Amino acid sequence: MKTGWLKNMAIVVAAATTLGAHCAFAEQPSGTMEPRSDVKSVAAALGTKAGNHRPLANVKFAGDRLLVKFKTGGARPPSSAFPGKTSSPTEAAQQMSAALPMAAQTALANIHGRAVKGFANIGVLVVETPVGVGRAIEALYRSGTVEYAEPDYQVKALGFPNDPYFPDLWGQHNTGQTGGTPDADMDLPEAWDVRTAADTVIVGVVDTGIDYTHEDLSANMWQNPGEIPGNGIDDDANGYVDDVYGIDTWNYDSDPYDDNAHGTHVAGTIGAKGNNGVGVTGAAWNAKLMALKFLSADGYGYDSDAITLINYAINIKTANSYSRMILSNSWGGGGYSQALYDAIAAAANAGILFIAAAGNEGMDTDAFTNYPSGYALDNIIAVGASDHNDSPASFSNRGCSSVDLFAPGESILSTVPYNGYASYSGTSMATPQVSGLAALVWAQYPSLPWARVKNAMLNGVDGKPSLGQLAVTQGRANASNSLVRAMQTLPTVWEVNPSTAAPGSIVTIIGRNFGTTAGTVEFNGSALTVVSWDANVLKVQVPTDIPMGDPSGSGLAFCLSD
């Protein structure tokens, strides 16, 4: 293979960090989760599925609801159960429940469980139960009928309002107008010299909804081609009446209007109408924005409702033969959910890119995992927030293996409901910058698979010493570079595991375009022993005599050669 760099991959070589044993969790009256080690079945549900990941903080979950996948043989109804249409989650629950074997039905009855939603493509039921989540999970595992049972975790929007009002879009073109460093931006004007239109790409905003009447957004709203607005009929037979702009799973209706402002702000950063003489400009001037609301007016929601939206997007993409779809996810904070993991994996299989906020706790997510950005799935791009000096924003999470890249996320001006504009800060604001960039790249090169779009953005970053060892790429997103990189098949690192390795240990490098002929991997000038090599996964051994740490503080890099 040709010589090339595994772009800016930082991996700290230091004493091994030993992770503690998994903790189980039991239900508490407050709805938070506390460690408990004596309930083996709950440990299986809430610990082992998550691998060695530790949640960022105590998580919350619905007190009377859980997500359940029964073992093969009863989890999914036959395809004939959906003649000529795609069932709604409620209809799917009825059909999936009827298809359960007797043992599973008995297990449900023993917890007084009632299936209220079903996701046939991943075989998961949302089950309401009055006996308490901890007891229900324990009973289901003891029944031997489930692959997994887990809480329905609560998540939240990850951005927060910030005054004063900033009138300039420094993240797109930084001239120092906010006191920052000139050119600490995404070079969007340079990219717009090549591409502004992205109306062939649909970006689903999984959030608090969108003000689809906004003066700077209405022209770019996706509209369901199978639905006749306002006739009170489910024209496309997808289980939702008048789902013109998307759906709302918090209020259980087909009107995803934003009652918070967070989702509208995200939507404007992605695709506010450009060059129209009004308001602001999104990264992609006319990307089609699909409103997918599951967060409440207070900014909170549950995994089960997010799964509903992901499945809705998959079904819409399939039914309309859309070739390019992105889901923008500026939310997080729950625990590990196998059901949500399965839903995002199903989105990958459907050709959907999933861009997610890294979180706002200012923590190392290599050690404490943020979800959904921390799931080990190839279609996820985890985004941290940078400031106007190309430094990590103080609130932004970071992790040299768990965060892919940074993007401007501090004091970002965008749209809010009722034709308003405001500046917000958060990884929620950085994420749509990358979602809009992905739409630009995909519109310019419509035949590319989502993996090539991801490669382009990771290879296209501006490497920054200030971001060294804080992200896979050690850089900030750059739109102009990404458009160039999209047509190059450079080797690209997506993940390194573990992110901290001891001398003599094995490190797995996951990515793309490594080639099928084994080459060499170097670390800080020292050759690593190649254990195995293929186009997407390398396993290497760290020498026992390699120098420890990174004295320069500038970040370490792998290079690849013949």
Side-chain angles (χ1 to χ4, degrees):
M1 66 178 288
K2 294 182 178 180
T3 300
W5 285 92
L6 294 185
K7 180 77 172 179
N8 295 325
M9 183 57 237
I11 178 169
V12 179
V13 178
T17 299
T18 302
L19 297 179
H22 297 304
C23 289
F25 296 91
E27 187 180 353
Q28 302 296 314
S30 66
T32 60
M33 307 183 82
E34 300 293 341
R36 180 180 171 188
S37 59
D38 60 339
V39 184
K40 184 176 180 181
S41 57
V42 181
L46 305 182
T48 58
K49 290 290 185 181
N52 283 328
H53 297 310
R54 293 173 287 180
L56 285 168
N58 283 347
V59 295
K60 296 183 178 181
F61 56 91
D64 61 350
R65 190 167 65 242
L66 60 153
L67 296 162
V68 183
K69 183 173 184 178
F70 287 95
K71 290 181 177 178
T72 303
R76 303 186 188 191
S79 58
S80 60
F82 304 92
K85 64 171 288 183
T86 301
S87 292
S88 70
T90 301
E91 293 169 324
Q94 296 169 350
Q95 294 160 348
M96 293 170 70
S97 296
L100 291 176
M102 185 57 66
Q105 294 191 27
T106 299
L108 271 181
N110 287 340
I111 63 168
H112 305 286
R114 181 174 70 94
V116 295
K117 286 185 181 180
F119 310 113
N121 64 330
I122 59 173
V124 171
L125 288 168
V126 180
V127 174
E128 289 184 349
T129 174
V131 304
V133 171
R135 286 180 57 194
I137 290 175
E138 187 171 356
L140 287 172
Y141 270 88
R142 286 179 176 169
S143 74
T145 62
V146 299
E147 288 190 24
Y148 58 81
E150 61 191 24
D152 188 1
Y153 290 110
Q154 185 186 78
V155 295
K156 61 184 178 180
L158 291 178
F160 44 87
N162 185 32
D163 289 327
Y165 187 91
F166 289 87
D168 298 316
L169 302 179
W170 69 264
Q172 297 179 357
H173 184 56
N174 190 345
T175 62
Q177 67 269 50
T178 58
T181 303
D183 204 36
D185 57 47
M186 289 178 59
D187 281 351
L188 274 161
E190 292 87 339
W192 292 331
D193 286 340
V194 178
R195 186 81 191 191
T196 59
D199 56 348
T200 59
V201 183
I202 297 167
V203 184
V205 180
V206 184
D207 213 286
T208 63
I210 301 175
D211 178 357
Y212 44 77
T213 68
H214 195 286
E215 62 182 1
D216 224 2
L217 298 175
S218 59
N220 287 348
M221 292 302 302
W222 169 82
Q223 295 192 40
N224 188 345
E227 203 69 30
I228 300 172
N231 68 354
I233 298 172
D234 181 11
D235 299 290
D236 59 359
N238 70 347
Y240 300 94
V241 174
D242 289 338
D243 55 318
V244 178
Y245 301 110
I247 59 172
D248 175 353
T249 59
W250 179 263
N251 294 302
Y252 306 105
D253 60 35
S254 298
D255 182 8
Y257 190 86
D258 187 5
D259 52 7
N260 173 282
H262 187 272
T264 299
H265 195 278
V266 166
T269 299
I270 296 168
K273 186 70 174 177
N275 202 34
N276 65 344
V278 176
V280 295
T281 301
W285 288 7
N286 60 349
K288 292 304 179 187
L289 303 167
M290 178 187 289
L292 301 172
K293 175 176 171 59
F294 85 108
L295 298 175
S296 69
D298 294 329
Y300 289 88
Y302 290 94
D303 281 348
S304 60
D305 291 329
I307 293 169
T308 303
L309 295 181
I310 294 168
N311 280 279
Y312 175 85
I314 292 171
N315 292 335
I316 286 290
K317 183 178 187 296
T318 301
N320 294 285
S321 299
Y322 293 141
S323 57
R324 294 169 294 282
M325 182 178 283
I326 298 160
L327 295 181
S328 189
N329 300 271
S330 292
W331 52 274
Y336 182 97
S337 167
Q338 187 64 43
L340 182 55
Y341 176 101
D342 289 347
I344 300 170
N349 291 334
I352 297 174
L353 191 57
F354 192 96
I355 299 175
N360 297 334
E361 290 78 16
M363 298 180 70
D364 178 2
T365 48
D366 287 349
F368 297 93
T369 309
N370 176 74
Y371 299 108
S373 66
Y375 289 117
L377 288 166
D378 287 349
N379 64 322
I380 294 177
I381 300 177
V383 185
S386 57
D387 66 13
H388 61 189
N389 290 311
D390 268 337
S391 296
S394 60
F395 53 78
S396 180
N397 290 340
R398 63 286 309 267
C400 70
S401 187
S402 54
V403 175
D404 289 305
L405 76 174
F406 282 78
E410 191 169 276
S411 300
I412 302 301
L413 181 66
S414 187
T415 50
V416 293
Y418 307 109
N419 293 333
Y421 301 87
S423 290
Y424 292 0
S425 295
T427 54
S428 280
M429 286 59 255
T431 298
Q433 307 270 19
V434 176
S435 299
L437 169 54
L440 271 186
V441 172
W442 222 342
Q444 180 67 9
Y445 304 106
S447 64
L448 293 183
W450 60 258
R452 287 280 299 275
V453 176
K454 177 176 176 177
N455 276 5
M457 292 190 292
L458 267 59
N459 270 314
V461 300
D462 279 336
K464 296 293 176 181
S466 56
L467 302 176
Q469 301 184 29
L470 303 183
V472 169
T473 60
Q474 299 190 89
R476 183 250 310 126
N478 182 292
S480 182
N481 290 348
S482 296
L483 286 173
V484 173
R485 298 290 186 267
M487 293 310 293
Q488 301 174 345
T489 54
L490 298 172
T492 310
V493 169
W494 287 5
E495 181 183 351
V496 172
N497 186 34
S499 57
T500 300
S505 61
I506 302 296
V507 175
T508 300
I509 306 170
I510 301 170
R512 287 294 184 274
N513 303 326
F514 298 155
T516 55
T517 302
T520 61
V521 179
E522 294 181 0
F523 173 78
N524 206 29
S526 300
L528 306 186
T529 301
V530 176
V531 177
S532 64
W533 187 294
D534 68 30
N536 300 322
V537 180
L538 310 179
K539 288 185 182 294
V540 296
Q541 186 172 28
V542 180
T544 57
D545 59 350
I546 196 166
M548 302 290 284
D550 175 22
S552 71
S554 62
L556 305 173
F558 284 107
C559 66
L560 206 65
S561 62
D562 293 330

